Amino acid sequence: DSLNSTLIAIAAYNCGEGRMADCMSITRQVGKNHLVWEDIKASIPLLREEEYFKSESIKLGRFKGKETLKYVDSILERFHEYQKSVTAQ
């Protein structure tokens, strides 16, 4: 859906297209949906572990991801605040 696409795009804006491709790849690798932000978000911490970041499908190596997760959460929180203020009017 459009919210998932938007959140993935926001994350890619923060961490880069290649890094997001790695995040989506690891999400597929663990059997989750690589097009659902919540699944990607849950998979990102795996890229801190050697078992995952040394996988053949991972092109850019280790990724902590904390900054990207925080960034997307911050944007989403701001969006919900704006949404509330528009709805209240």
Side-chain angles (χ1 to χ4, degrees):
D1 68 359
S2 65
L3 181 58
N4 276 307
S5 298
T6 301
L7 295 174
I8 292 168
I10 290 168
Y13 173 80
N14 181 265
C15 69
E17 183 181 344
R19 190 63 82 182
M20 185 51 49
D22 280 354
C23 294
M24 294 172 88
S25 178
I26 202 69
T27 303
R28 276 192 306 270
Q29 188 176 324
V30 298
K32 304 255 179 159
N33 189 334
H34 70 286
L35 299 176
V36 173
W37 171 247
E38 288 301 317
D39 287 352
I40 297 169
K41 180 179 177 179
S43 300
I44 287 175
L46 297 175
L47 288 170
R48 298 176 199 155
E49 299 176 26
E50 188 171 352
E51 166 188 354
Y52 292 100
F53 73 75
K54 289 210 171 178
S55 165
E56 219 175 271
S57 65
I58 303 305
K59 306 296 183 218
L60 299 177
R62 172 177 262 165
F63 179 51
K64 292 180 183 175
K66 291 178 183 181
E67 180 182 321
T68 298
L69 294 172
K70 185 176 176 183
Y71 181 76
V72 174
D73 284 346
S74 165
I75 298 295
L76 187 58
E77 184 178 318
R78 193 173 310 155
F79 170 74
H80 288 307
E81 288 301 316
Y82 292 153
Q83 200 174 35
K84 282 185 210 172
S85 69
V86 169
T87 306
Q89 293 179 359

